[in-house]
Amino acid sequence: MTTRSETQSTLDHLLTEIELRNPAQPEFHQAAHEVLETLAPVVAARPEYAEPGLIERLVEPERQVMFRVPWQDDQGRVRVNRGFRVEFNSALGPYKGGLRFHPSVNLGVIKFLGFEQIFKNALTGLGIGGGKGGSDFDPHGRSDAEVMRFCQSFMTELYRHIGEHTDVPAGDIGVGGREIGYLFGQYRRITNRWESGVLTGKGQGWGGSLIRPEATGYGNVLFAAAMLRERGEDLEGQTAVVSGSGNVAIYTIEKLTALGANAVTCSDSSGYVVDEKGIDLDLLKQIKEVERGRVDAYAERRGASARFVPGGSVWDVPADLALPSATQNELDENAAATLIRNGVKAVSEGANMPATPEAVHLLQQAGVAFGPGKAANAGGVAVSALEMAQNHARTSWTAARVEEELADIMTSIHTTCHETAERYDAPGDYVTGANIAGFERVADAMLAQGVI
Ligand code: GLU
């Protein structure tokens, strides 16, 4: 029997190899570290997981596609972006994961997101593999016509790699209902197939699921509520800070408010808004979803209760709960220290990997309940899988039914992570619980399916 420390040194050796084999991909290294650091107890306890090659296969994507995306802007100038799709692991089902359109996108970012997605999707229990894609295209300030031409060009290459039984993309940062519409239209035109299950996050009326837009934010709030319940508390009357102002942030605020919490902030790259009365969602939705504007406009139009803080950190605002819902590494060690000083009780990740490893460590040390994104934000991809189920059955469910299923899934993810952490001597450590539980499901399927 190998000891945990022997296993840990094998995993550390593997991490060094990952860094050498994947140079200049710091986000991917970080995501791999975060998972491999917590696996020693399960690998030491279950010898089949120490089988040579298992973890080596897990950290190597099954397939990585990179392609040129040429398109013409409104002035007729040719622009060239780079497109990606990383099909990471299909042991549990077709590759599943979003597309991100943002100037920061590169192969390492997509690999980190795809790697996280494997475990997140496994935790949903819904039979979906892990993948991710996107482009360094920046939709901000682009006209609808430019976004459409970009999406059409992107799909003109991507269509050959995806399919309802192969790989099912969805949205992520910079990809919402508008982009999914243009992408779906081009896929349908090229393939001459009405294959509704090829993309999720579609519009209602042409195959989209009710509650899909809300699912990530709603799910994260349900996960945070479950963590609080574990400590004998609930959401009622708690003050919450939320970062971001996209789809995840908006529906996080909506659910917090519905459950009696006071969500007082939102942000974008220009700064943040703090609103003592609680964020007015109608106004925020109007500015972000209809006008595609910036959050300073919110403060201008809201009146006395709100102010805009240019360039500041939303984590400076005292709160009981923090729900980072913007992007990776947005909550660092200093921010974590400030949150702790202000008495934060729980931090739950709506975005993917928003807290740095140092921040996670500090929060856990201070006894703050910490919900890692791969568990806490799994509601989005879970409802994507429910959208696929509805598409296959050529039916659509009521909002109440989808919401009920979402709530059950989030409760079950919370229980799984909680129980797994206890089983491996890490009570209350949701990071360890999520990583081990997700890993067990994927690793068992990979072992059963042989060396492929
Ligand atoms: N981009 C989302 C995530 O990070 C959703 C993916 C999906 O629905 O496929 O999980």
Side-chain angles (χ1 to χ4, degrees):
M1 173 104 186
T2 31
T3 64
R4 281 189 189 182
S5 66
E6 280 165 355
T7 309
Q8 192 56 61
S9 73
T10 313
L11 292 171
D12 289 344
H13 180 73
L14 186 56
L15 279 167
T16 311
E17 272 195 13
I18 290 170
E19 286 177 17
L20 290 171
R21 271 168 70 79
N22 303 277
Q25 297 182 354
E27 293 87 357
F28 176 54
H29 303 162
Q30 184 182 331
H33 262 272
E34 195 255 352
V35 171
L36 267 52
E37 259 162 27
T38 57
L39 294 185
V42 69
V43 177
R46 299 187 48 186
E48 66 272 28
Y49 294 151
E51 186 174 292
L54 174 67
I55 299 180
E56 284 85 344
R57 283 191 286 140
L58 191 62
V59 297
E60 186 69 22
E62 289 176 15
R63 190 174 299 104
Q64 308 181 53
V65 189
M66 270 172 75
F67 50 95
R68 180 173 70 201
V69 189
W71 56 284
Q72 269 183 308
D73 67 18
D74 285 344
Q75 286 67 48
R77 226 180 104 191
V78 175
R79 307 268 181 166
V80 180
N81 285 99
R82 193 171 280 178
F84 304 88
R85 187 71 185 166
V86 173
E87 298 180 333
F88 225 119
N89 192 299
S90 59
L92 293 176
Y95 309 106
K96 182 83 198 85
L99 298 171
R100 176 177 291 192
F101 291 171
H102 191 268
S104 65
V105 163
N106 57 43
L107 184 60
V109 167
I110 298 299
K111 279 171 69 180
F112 120 64
L113 291 163
F115 187 67
E116 290 277 299
Q117 202 83 42
I118 303 171
F119 304 94
K120 183 195 306 195
N121 295 3
L123 283 172
T124 68
L126 293 172
I128 38 180
K132 202 89 185 189
S135 173
D136 57 359
F137 171 70
D138 186 359
H140 277 289
R142 291 284 165 207
S143 68
D144 283 354
E146 289 176 318
V147 170
M148 181 178 76
R149 287 194 294 274
F150 176 81
C151 288
Q152 290 175 338
S153 180
F154 185 85
M155 185 53 87
T156 302
E157 172 60 32
L158 186 70
Y159 89 95
R160 70 190 81 242
H161 307 290
I162 63 176
E164 62 183 339
H165 300 298
T166 313
D167 183 355
V168 182
D172 196 85
I173 295 171
V175 178
R178 173 182 62 170
E179 290 74 15
I180 293 294
Y182 296 146
L183 291 163
F184 185 76
Q186 184 73 349
Y187 183 85
R188 185 168 64 74
R189 176 203 220 174
I190 295 172
T191 60
N192 193 30
R193 281 163 64 88
W194 181 272
E195 193 186 324
S196 49
V198 69
L199 289 169
T200 60
K202 298 181 294 295
Q204 281 161 35
W206 50 279
S209 175
L210 289 166
I211 307 296
R212 176 62 191 88
E214 294 88 345
T216 311
Y218 280 17
N220 188 27
V221 175
L222 296 176
F223 194 89
M227 290 197 299
L228 285 178
R229 218 171 300 124
E230 209 50 58
R231 302 173 166 224
E233 294 207 51
D234 66 20
L235 279 173
E236 183 86 46
Q238 312 271 8
T239 299
V241 282
V242 177
S243 62
S245 49
N247 166 273
V248 178
I250 286 176
Y251 292 104
T252 297
I253 294 169
E254 186 163 285
K255 196 58 160 184
L256 283 167
T257 313
L259 295 178
N262 192 25
V264 293
T265 61
C266 63
S267 68
D268 61 24
S269 53
S270 66
Y272 72 88
V273 161
V274 52
D275 186 340
E276 284 150 31
K277 283 204 203 145
I279 297 290
D280 174 342
L281 260 187
D282 289 339
L283 179 58
L284 184 63
K285 282 184 185 172
Q286 168 66 25
I287 290 168
K288 296 306 292 193
E289 292 181 343
V290 181
E291 299 169 22
R292 295 182 190 275
R294 316 291 291 170
V295 295
D296 55 349
Y298 175 95
E300 259 167 47
R301 275 143 74 175
R302 172 70 163 153
S305 69
R307 73 196 155 85
F308 174 67
V309 183
S313 163
V314 71
W315 315 121
D316 291 340
V317 178
D320 304 304
L321 308 173
L323 298 107
S325 310
T327 195
Q328 66 267 15
N329 294 329
E330 56 162 315
L331 194 166
D332 65 10
E333 215 174 348
N334 293 331
T338 309
L339 286 170
I340 293 165
R341 223 177 307 117
N342 288 332
V344 75
K345 298 170 190 165
V347 176
S348 203
E349 294 188 317
N352 291 312
M353 211 167 74
T356 64
E358 297 78 18
V360 176
H361 186 70
L362 261 190
L363 291 165
Q364 288 186 322
Q365 290 261 302
V368 176
F370 178 78
K374 60 171 82 65
N377 74 34
V381 77
V383 173
S384 275
L386 302 182
E387 183 170 322
M388 290 161 71
Q390 293 169 73
N391 294 156
H392 287 299
R394 294 185 176 278
T395 188
S396 57
W397 302 345
T398 62
R401 173 163 178 197
V402 180
E403 239 195 292
E404 208 174 293
E405 300 244 3
L406 170 64
D408 287 349
I409 293 165
M410 295 315 298
T411 307
S412 129
I413 294 175
H414 175 269
T415 309
T416 303
C417 296
H418 195 263
E419 288 178 357
T420 307
E422 297 216 319
R423 191 150 42 92
Y424 287 97
D425 308 325
D429 177 352
Y430 291 96
V431 175
T432 296
N435 288 345
I436 293 184
F439 169 78
E440 285 179 323
R441 287 187 183 159
V442 183
D444 288 347
M446 287 174 72
L447 288 171
Q449 293 171 29
V451 179
I452 52 163

